[in-house]
Amino acid sequence: MKYTFDIVGVSPLLQFFNHQQQNEQKPPHQGVEYLGMYTCTLDTFLESVESVPAKWGWNLDQVVDTVIQFWLNNSDSISYWKVRLSNAGKDNLIVARLADITALQAEFESLLDKKW
């Protein structure tokens, strides 16, 4: 299985919480997780992904490697989001998406209302 990790934005805490609650009430897109952190560091993201593989039956080593590879290859993006989070204030989170590639494709297709 192949995974993807990306920082998708900065969100007020309550808005992120509401998004997560709404997702719990919908049929889940198996294998797509949104993670909210108060700090934008590799350590915090690695800690946050530790419980995700058990939920979806993913390979923890591959998931961790995906996050690390993102961190190594996207320093400009990470710097940008660190500044955005800092400017947003203390009641905001940095939001990242961790997904199995197939599940993410299914989520995008559902957003576009496209059936394959």
Side-chain angles (χ1 to χ4, degrees):
M1 199 176 305
K2 237 181 148 179
Y3 307 102
T4 180
F5 177 87
D6 198 14
I7 297 174
V8 294
V10 173
S11 173
L13 175 62
L14 290 176
Q15 185 176 351
F16 180 75
F17 178 76
N18 286 335
H19 177 267
Q20 295 294 79
Q21 291 299 312
Q22 289 171 0
N23 279 350
E24 290 292 321
Q25 296 171 3
K26 295 178 187 175
H29 291 287
Q30 298 283 327
V32 178
E33 288 288 326
Y34 291 90
L35 310 165
M37 306 289 116
Y38 284 107
T39 59
C40 185
T41 66
L42 176 58
D43 289 343
T44 57
F45 281 114
L46 289 176
E47 286 176 24
S48 72
V49 303
E50 287 179 357
S51 64
V52 175
K55 180 178 179 180
W56 300 114
W58 291 349
N59 180 308
L60 177 60
D61 291 337
Q62 287 179 347
V63 168
V64 167
D65 185 57
T66 299
V67 175
I68 291 171
Q69 289 305 312
F70 174 86
W71 216 262
L72 293 174
N73 296 321
N74 296 283
S75 61
D76 290 343
S77 176
I78 293 163
S79 296
Y80 170 81
W81 288 113
K82 282 183 178 185
V83 170
R84 291 287 311 267
L85 179 61
S86 176
N87 291 341
K90 65 178 178 149
D91 294 331
N92 291 278
L93 304 171
I94 187 85
V95 179
R97 179 184 53 232
L98 177 65
D100 134 17
I101 296 283
T102 305
L104 184 59
Q105 181 180 359
E107 182 174 287
F108 287 156
E109 289 171 0
S110 74
L111 290 172
L112 298 172
D113 206 25
K114 185 177 185 179
K115 307 277 184 205
W116 289 57

